[in-house]
Amino acid sequence: MTRFMFSLAWPFVLLLASSLASAAIVEHTFNVEDFTIQRLCLPQVITAVNGTLPGPTINAREGDTVIIHVFNKSPYNLTLHWHGIIQFLTPWSDGPEYVTQCPIPSGGSYTYQFNLTGQEGTLWWHAHSSFLRATVHGALIIKPRLGRSYPFPKVYQEVPILLGEWWNANVEEVERNATDTGNPPEESNASTINGLPSDLYNCSQDQTYKVKVKQGKTYLLRIINAALNEQHFFKIANHSFTVVAMDAIYTEHYNTDVVVLAPGQTVDVLLKTNQVVDSYYMVFTPYRSSNVGTSNITTRGVVVYDGASQTKAPIMPIMPDAHDTPTAHKFYTNVTGLTTGPHWVPVPRKVDEHMFITFGIGLEQCINPGPGRCVVLNSRLSANMNNESFVLPKGRGFSLLEAFYKNISGVYTKDFPNQPPFEFNYTDPSLANVNPSEPLAFAPKSTKVKTLKFNSTVEIVLQNTAILGTENHPIHIHGFNFHVLAQGFGNYNATRDEPKFNFVNPQMRNTISVPVGGWAVVRFQANNPGIWLVHCHLETHLPWGLAMAFEVENGPTLGTTVPPPPANLPKC
C-alpha cells in the first residue's frame, strides 16, 4: 500500500516541480512622482509612475510571483491596487487605502508582492487614492505558462489599449473641490487612448494613437477601461471582433462589431485585418445610461494597414447613440464563460449567504452652506448600499485589515445588513425627484462590514435604485472573481428571475455593470480570508459612500489564514 501511494504521489511531485520551474519572479521599481506633460495646448503637472502615461506594463505568466517596489516621490499619500488579482493569502498587497493598508506617505516606500497562480489574461493596476487613478495606472498582462497556449488561434501581435480621462487641472484639486462643496466633480476635458487624446482635440494632431498592422493577420487587442467616470462603446471602422476573454477570464468566442466597457473592466478581442489596405479609426465614445448632461469626451486612434495612403483621411465607424442601452445590455449579457478553458470554476450550487443589496446616489445634510456649495437640492451628494453610506476609517489609526488581523475594536462594526431596512419600488422613475425631507433620500454614515464564514458560498442580488435618477453602475469586488447568474431591468423578482439563472456557463468577472434601473445576481465562494472592499468603480462614488466590505474569517489551517503583515507596512 505504501509503494502504491508513493507511485501516485511521485507524478504529482514531478508536476509540482515542473510548475515551479516554469514560474518566475517579475520585479519592477515604480517611482511615483510629478512631472509636466503637454496635452490640449497646455502644460499640466501630473502624478504618474516612472515618468510615463500610462505607466509601465507588467508582463508576466500564470504562476509567476510579482514584486513591485513603490517609491512615493509625489506630494500625495497614495496606494496602488492590482485590479482583478485575487491576492489569495496576500491581502496586504491588495492596496485600497484604509482597507488593506494605510497610504504610502509622501517620501515613503512599500513593496507589493503577490502570486499569479490560476489567472491569465488582461488586468491592470491603478492608484486607489482619490482621483490619482486618472494618471497613475497601467496594464497588467498575464500570459499562459511557458509551453501552454491560449484557447484561441495563434495571433500575430498583442496590443494593449488603455482608455483614460484627461483634466486640464490638478486631479487632486478636482476631487478636493467636489468633497469640499458637496457637488459633482468637474467633468474631464478629454478621453485618451494610451495617454493620447487624438485629433478631435485642439493641439492634438500629433497626439493620436496609431496601430500599424499587416493585412491578413490576427491581432489580440487587450482593451482596458481605465477611465474614472465613463462607460464606453468601442468600434473600429469596417471591422468586427471576436471576444475571447473578459476581466482575465476566458469566454466562449463571441462575435460582435462593438465592445462595451465600464470603468475597471477589460475585454480581450481578436481583430482580423481582412479589409482593403487603408486607414481606419478606432473610436471610444461614451455610453451614458443616465440623462445627466456631460461633456463630449469621444476619442479615437487609427489602425493603419501597411501600404495605406498617408494623405487619405481614415474611415470613421458609425457609433451607437450615447444612450443606446439595448446595445450595451446585449453585449454585457450575451457573453458566456469558457467551461473547457484553463482555470474555469463551476458555479457553486449550495448557497450559505443570501444578500440583497440596493445602491445608488442620495443626499446628506449640507456642511458649511454658501455660494457654490450643495447645489443639488441644497444638500451634499452622498451614496449608499442598503442605506449605509460607507466611510473609510481615516484617522482611526489602523486599516480595516490590520484591525481584523489584530482584533482591534472601534475601527469598524460587523453589522452591515443583508437587505435594505425597508422595501420600496426601487426603480420608480418618480424617485428622480425625491424630496430631500424624505427618509429615502438620506443614509447614515458608517463603517460596516459583512462577516462571512471561510469557504461559504455567497449570492448577492445587486439592485439599482432610481433615487435622483437611474444609472448603470460598475460594481467591483476585491479578492474574488464571481459568476454572473443573471441580469435584468426593473425590480428583481425571485419567482420570475431565478429560472433565468445560468448555472452552466455564466460569465465570470471581477467588475459587473449592473443595468441602468435594473439588477444583477452574482455568486462566489468566500475562500480568501481577509477584508475585501466592494464598491462602485465610478471614481466619484467611493468618496460619496457607495461601498461596503466583506470580512472573510480565517480558515481552519495555517494555509487558510491571513499571514502577518509585512515589516514595512505603512502606518496610519
Side-chain angles (χ1 to χ4, degrees), residues 92-116:
W92 305 103
S93 286
D94 192 44
E97 64 175 358
Y98 299 108
V99 178
T100 58
Q101 68 169 99
C102 298
I104 306 168
S106 176
S109 63
Y110 184 56
T111 295
Y112 294 90
Q113 180 169 332
F114 49 88
N115 188 265
L116 301 177

Side-chain angles (χ1 to χ4, degrees), residues 280-539:
Y280 303 86
Y281 275 121
M282 61 165 71
V283 182
F284 285 101
T285 190
Y287 161 51
R288 298 199 171 104
S289 56
S290 70
N291 292 318
V292 177
T294 53
S295 57
N296 179 13
I297 56 168
T298 294
T299 191
R300 62 191 184 188
V302 184
V303 175
V304 183
Y305 279 60
D306 275 359
S309 169
Q310 300 298 307
T311 58
K312 183 181 176 183
I315 299 171
M316 185 72 180
I318 298 173
M319 300 302 294
D321 180 82
H323 300 285
D324 190 350
T325 289
T327 292
H329 189 67
K330 178 182 177 182
F331 179 84
Y332 281 140
T333 57
N334 277 19
V335 183
T336 53
L338 184 64
T339 61
T340 59
H343 319 303
W344 170 258
V345 178
V347 181
R349 299 303 294 267
K350 179 181 178 296
V351 177
D352 302 296
E353 287 278 0
H354 289 272
M355 301 186 71
F356 188 99
I357 300 180
T358 59
F359 57 89
I361 304 300
L363 302 169
E364 65 173 307
Q365 186 175 2
C366 190
I367 302 172
N368 299 324
R373 292 177 174 268
C374 304
V375 299
V376 180
L377 299 175
N378 296 316
S379 301
R380 293 173 60 87
L381 288 172
S382 185
N384 69 87
M385 285 184 158
N386 277 356
N387 207 47
E388 297 288 342
S389 190
F390 189 76
V391 178
L392 292 170
K394 186 176 181 179
R396 301 182 200 176
F398 301 93
S399 69
L400 297 180
L401 182 59
E402 194 170 7
F404 167 75
Y405 181 80
K406 297 179 178 179
N407 197 26
I408 297 169
S409 61
V411 179
Y412 64 89
T413 61
K414 303 182 180 185
D415 53 346
F416 182 84
N418 274 5
Q419 57 276 322
F422 45 85
E423 294 184 9
F424 57 99
N425 184 357
Y426 306 115
T427 56
D428 183 353
S430 68
L431 292 173
N433 301 311
V434 65
N435 189 314
S437 64
E438 294 183 25
L440 278 178
F442 286 84
K445 295 292 184 180
S446 64
T447 308
K448 295 184 177 183
V449 308
K450 167 65 179 178
T451 300
L452 300 174
K453 295 289 186 184
F454 179 78
N455 249 1
S456 61
T457 295
V458 186
E459 181 178 291
I460 309 173
V461 177
L462 295 164
Q463 174 69 62
N464 254 314
T465 64
I467 298 172
L468 297 186
T470 55
E471 187 177 8
N472 184 305
H473 285 90
I475 302 296
H476 175 44
I477 300 180
H478 291 231
F480 303 95
N481 290 323
F482 49 80
H483 295 91
V484 182
L485 301 184
Q487 303 176 62
F489 295 101
N491 297 328
Y492 174 78
N493 181 291
T495 302
R496 177 195 65 205
D497 297 322
E498 277 190 13
K500 304 174 185 175
F501 285 7
N502 180 357
F503 293 114
V504 179
N505 62 345
Q507 59 182 261
M508 295 183 69
R509 304 211 71 145
N510 62 59
T511 305
I512 171 72
S513 287
V514 182
V516 52
W519 52 270
V521 180
V522 302
R523 189 180 291 187
F524 67 96
Q525 190 170 13
N527 54 7
N528 195 4
I531 297 282
W532 305 106
L533 186 65
V534 180
H535 65 104
C536 180
H537 217 266
L538 301 179
E539 193 61 35

